[in-house]
Amino acid sequence: MHTFLVMTNLFLFVFIGFFTNILIWPIKKLKPELQVRISNNSVRWAFWRSLFFAGAKKTVIGEKNIPDEPCLFVSNHRSNFDILLIHTSTRHDLGFIAKKEMDKIPFLNVQMRNIGCVFLDRDDIKAGLTAINAAAENIKKGMSMCVFPEGHRSKKPNMEMGEFRAGALKVAEKANCPIVPVAVIDSDTLMEQTGKFKIVSGKAKVIFGEPIYINQLDRQEKRKVSERVEKEIKQMIEEYR
C-alpha cells in the first residue's frame, strides 16, 4: 500500500506539474527567482506527502547549523528517499546536482530544472565543468545546491560510504559559499533494504553538520576540504546511527 500511495502521489505531481509549468512560464521569463521559489514550494509539498504516504518518520538534527545564506549541502547517499528527506528538512530553495540520466525522463526533468537541478555527466570532463559552473551560478543567484559525492547510492553494509569524489565540491569554491556536511541515516530502510521495489514504513535521520566557510580557508585547507567534509559526514553517521 505504501508503494502504491507514494507512486500515485509522485505520478500526479509530475502530471499536474506539466500544466503548472505552462502557467508559470511567463513568471520564469519575468521573475525567474519567483518561479524557483514557487517550484520549490510545490516540490517540497509533494515530497512531504510522499514521506507521509511512505510511513517515514523523520528526525532532523542540527537545523541551527544551516546558514541563512545560500550554501552547498554535501551528503552521503543511501536511498532514493535521500532527496525527499533533505529537501523537506530545509527552507532553502534547493536544487540537486543529479546524474545525466535523470535529464532523459520526460516531465520530471522539467520539474527538476525548475527547482534549479543541474545534470552532471561524470564521464565527460568538459560537460562536468559546465555543470559545476551552472551549479555555482545558481548559488550566486540565491538558491542552494545539494550534491552526493559518492555519485551513486552506496549498498555497503553498516552505513559505509562509497568512494567520495571531490570534484563536485568545486561548486562551493566557485560560488564562494559555505559547505554544509549532511548525514542521512537509515533512509534505505524505507525501500532499498527490502531487496525489491517495495516501500515500507521506517525511521530515518537527517543530520546537518557545522558549515565550513570556504572563504575562511587558506590554500592548503581548500585542497583538503573534500577530505574534511567526508570525515565529518562519517563522524556524524557513527555518532547518530
Side-chain angles (χ1 to χ4, degrees):
M1 181 60 72
H2 290 302
T3 306
F4 173 77
L5 290 173
V6 171
M7 295 310 298
T8 299
N9 175 61
L10 292 177
F11 174 79
L12 289 174
F13 167 69
V14 173
F15 180 75
I16 295 172
F18 173 77
F19 298 99
T20 304
N21 288 331
I22 297 175
L23 295 175
I24 66 173
W25 183 81
I27 299 176
K28 186 174 184 179
K29 292 294 181 180
L30 297 174
K31 292 186 176 182
E33 70 283 354
L34 178 59
Q35 175 267 313
V36 170
R37 175 59 52 84
I38 293 173
S39 297
N40 264 273
N41 287 338
S42 175
V43 167
R44 185 174 288 110
W45 177 234
F47 284 175
W48 270 116
R49 292 198 309 269
S50 292
L51 291 173
F52 174 77
F53 290 142
K57 295 177 176 60
K58 179 184 67 170
T59 301
V60 181
I61 300 170
E63 288 175 282
K64 62 179 178 60
N65 290 326
I66 301 175
D68 292 332
E69 62 187 291
C71 55
L72 178 68
F73 294 96
V74 181
S75 176
N76 65 315
H77 199 14
R78 298 289 301 184
S79 170
N80 287 318
F81 276 93
D82 293 342
I83 292 174
L84 285 69
L85 291 164
I86 294 172
H87 199 285
T88 56
S89 298
T90 173
R91 300 310 301 175
H92 282 223
D93 292 331
L94 183 62
F96 291 81
I97 299 177
K99 57 185 179 181
K100 64 175 183 178
E101 289 77 10
M102 298 296 291
D103 195 23
K104 299 177 181 179
I105 304 176
F107 304 138
L108 178 62
N109 55 1
V110 177
Q111 294 282 25
M112 292 179 70
R113 289 183 182 279
N114 281 346
I115 66 170
C117 290
V118 172
F119 300 97
L120 177 65
D121 184 349
R122 296 182 183 275
D123 298 322
D124 187 327
I125 296 177
K126 185 176 180 180
L129 289 174
T130 299
I132 288 174
N133 288 332
E137 285 302 313
N138 283 349
I139 294 176
K140 291 177 182 179
K141 291 175 183 176
M143 69 182 74
S144 292
M145 298 295 297
C146 179
V147 64
F148 302 105
E150 294 165 275
H152 303 281
R153 287 175 285 125
S154 174
K155 298 180 181 180
K156 296 182 178 182
N158 301 319
M159 289 295 301
E160 185 179 348
M161 292 171 59
E163 180 185 357
F164 202 87
R165 303 177 184 182
L169 271 69
K170 290 290 184 182
V171 172
E173 188 171 348
K174 289 180 176 294
N176 195 27
C177 71
I179 297 172
V180 179
V182 183
V184 182
I185 299 175
D186 291 335
S187 55
D188 52 344
T189 62
L190 300 171
M191 184 172 70
E192 282 75 11
Q193 285 189 15
T194 64
K196 51 187 176 181
F197 190 77
K198 180 182 180 181
I199 297 171
V200 297
S201 59
K203 297 179 180 180
K205 293 179 181 178
V206 181
I207 302 98
F208 295 99
E210 294 185 5
I212 300 169
Y213 290 89
I214 200 80
N215 59 357
Q216 296 178 4
L217 304 181
D218 59 32
R219 184 176 299 179
Q220 184 68 16
E221 290 172 325
K222 286 181 180 179
R223 283 201 293 264
K224 295 184 177 181
V225 70
S226 176
E227 298 174 19
R228 176 179 171 181
V229 173
E230 181 180 11
K231 181 179 179 180
E232 292 191 13
I233 293 174
K234 288 180 177 179
Q235 288 176 340
M236 289 189 291
I237 292 173
E238 288 297 318
E239 181 178 356
Y240 290 102
R241 55 176 298 200

